[in-house]
Amino acid sequence: MTQFLHRWFGRGWLSMGYLFLYIPIVVLVVFSFNSSRQDMVWSGFSLQWYAALASDTEIISGFGLSLRIALLTACGSVILGTFAAFVLDRYQRFKGRTLFTGMVSAPLVMPEVIIGLSLLLMLVSVQKMFGFPERGLVTIWLGHTLLGMAYATVVVQSRLQEMNKSLEEAAMDLGCRPFQVFFLVTLPNIKQALGSAWLLTFTLSLDDVVLSAFLSGPGSSTMPIVIFSRARLGLDPRVNAVAALTILVVSIGVIASSLYIARAERLRSKQLAAAAKG
């Protein structure tokens, strides 16, 4: 009886936690179809706010800028994070390793306000000296990549630590050079971690507000900044529509990624089983 109560008590708390997290999202999506401008006052089903997005140049421009920055950030973060993770995992002793580890991990624990302010001061000084870069896409991308690289390093390094290093040693015994081992053996074995790191850094960049607010300039407002600025003046139903579309796109991406990873894992298990039998 006690075990039964403990089990249902745990399930109850877990269900309440999930409801607390997801009910606001469901409410937001539902009221994006509300014909009234007033929140929490349902007056009928309508697609007018989705149609209004087509003529909202500010949101469209902000979304396009956010998407470009997120794509660049995800690619840059995965490349730099992979190299950093490989160095930290494969080279246990080298001069300055402690400093390098601290520099890679610092963005994970440092408040984004501090990162954004320090980058802003540095970029303003550089701009005064050389005349570039102007605050906009490039400066936001640099800030997002700095933060994303730290997350990508953690994800990729954890996979490298679990990887069977005998595969790399076997490849080197067969005459492969180090760069061949990296591209032909290491990368294929950590591709799932690379995909996870790419999706994580893409999402972090797409919804970042703090760094973008510090590093953006006139005419370079990302979608989160536009939404945040409108929310301060009162919620706009078009913001609900944007949020609903974003949730839809992210959900499709997560489902597709999960199916791909699960399929790749099943294929890998079958290959390992076949190799063990052979």
Side-chain angles (χ1 to χ4, degrees):
M1 183 64 180
T2 303
Q3 185 178 2
F4 176 79
L5 291 176
H6 286 172
R7 183 170 64 249
W8 281 101
F9 181 78
R11 290 179 178 178
W13 274 109
L14 183 62
S15 300
M16 291 177 62
Y18 277 112
L19 290 174
F20 176 79
L21 292 173
Y22 288 104
I23 282 181
I25 298 177
V26 174
V27 171
L28 183 147
V29 173
V30 170
F31 276 89
S32 68
F33 299 100
N34 188 14
S35 60
S36 173
R37 293 187 63 91
Q38 297 182 2
D39 296 320
M40 306 307 296
V41 178
W42 182 263
S43 59
F45 181 86
S46 175
L47 296 174
Q48 61 177 326
W49 307 120
Y50 290 89
L53 289 177
S55 59
D56 195 325
T57 56
E58 187 180 21
I59 287 182
I60 294 175
S61 176
F63 176 75
L65 180 62
S66 294
L67 188 61
R68 293 196 298 272
I69 293 173
L71 290 171
L72 293 172
T73 298
C75 295
S77 299
V78 169
I79 293 173
L80 295 176
T82 300
F83 288 143
F86 187 82
V87 169
L88 292 174
D89 185 71
R90 294 295 189 264
Y91 301 95
Q92 298 296 327
R93 294 183 180 180
F94 61 88
K95 189 175 181 180
R97 188 181 192 279
T98 303
L99 177 62
F100 181 72
T101 303
M103 292 176 63
V104 171
S105 304
L108 295 174
V109 296
M110 190 174 296
E112 284 193 47
V113 173
I114 304 300
I115 298 175
L117 179 60
S118 60
L119 285 174
L120 175 62
L121 295 176
M122 183 196 72
L123 291 171
V124 168
S125 301
V126 172
Q127 185 180 6
K128 287 182 179 180
M129 294 176 60
F130 302 102
F132 70 91
E134 295 286 342
R135 281 189 291 166
L137 185 148
V138 175
T139 55
I140 298 174
W141 171 66
L142 290 174
H144 288 190
T145 303
L146 173 64
L147 181 64
M149 182 188 66
Y151 284 93
T153 301
V154 173
V155 174
V156 177
Q157 187 178 5
S158 62
R159 178 66 184 93
L160 285 172
Q161 292 173 347
E162 298 175 356
M163 180 181 167
N164 188 359
K165 297 180 178 58
S166 61
L167 298 175
E168 297 175 330
E169 296 172 354
M172 287 187 288
D173 289 339
L174 294 173
C176 286
R177 296 179 180 274
F179 73 92
Q180 291 176 317
V181 174
F182 179 77
F183 286 102
L184 298 178
V185 178
T186 306
L187 283 184
N189 279 276
I190 64 172
K191 62 182 181 180
Q192 295 181 8
L194 297 179
S196 300
W198 195 93
L199 290 173
L200 175 62
T201 53
F202 178 86
T203 304
L204 289 173
S205 174
L206 192 64
D207 69 353
D208 184 85
V209 176
V210 178
L211 289 178
S212 300
F214 276 103
L215 302 176
S216 63
S220 60
S221 297
T222 61
M223 184 181 67
I225 293 179
V226 174
I227 293 176
F228 182 73
S229 62
R230 292 191 180 186
R232 294 174 61 186
L233 302 175
L235 293 179
D236 188 338
R238 287 172 294 184
V239 172
N240 294 346
V242 172
L245 291 175
T246 303
I247 292 170
L248 175 63
V249 173
V250 171
S251 300
I252 293 174
V254 170
I255 293 173
S257 174
S258 300
L259 293 175
Y260 173 77
I261 292 175
R263 181 177 177 275
E265 188 64 27
R266 288 196 301 267
L267 181 60
R268 180 171 175 271
S269 300
K270 289 181 181 179
Q271 292 174 346
L272 292 175
K277 292 181 180 179

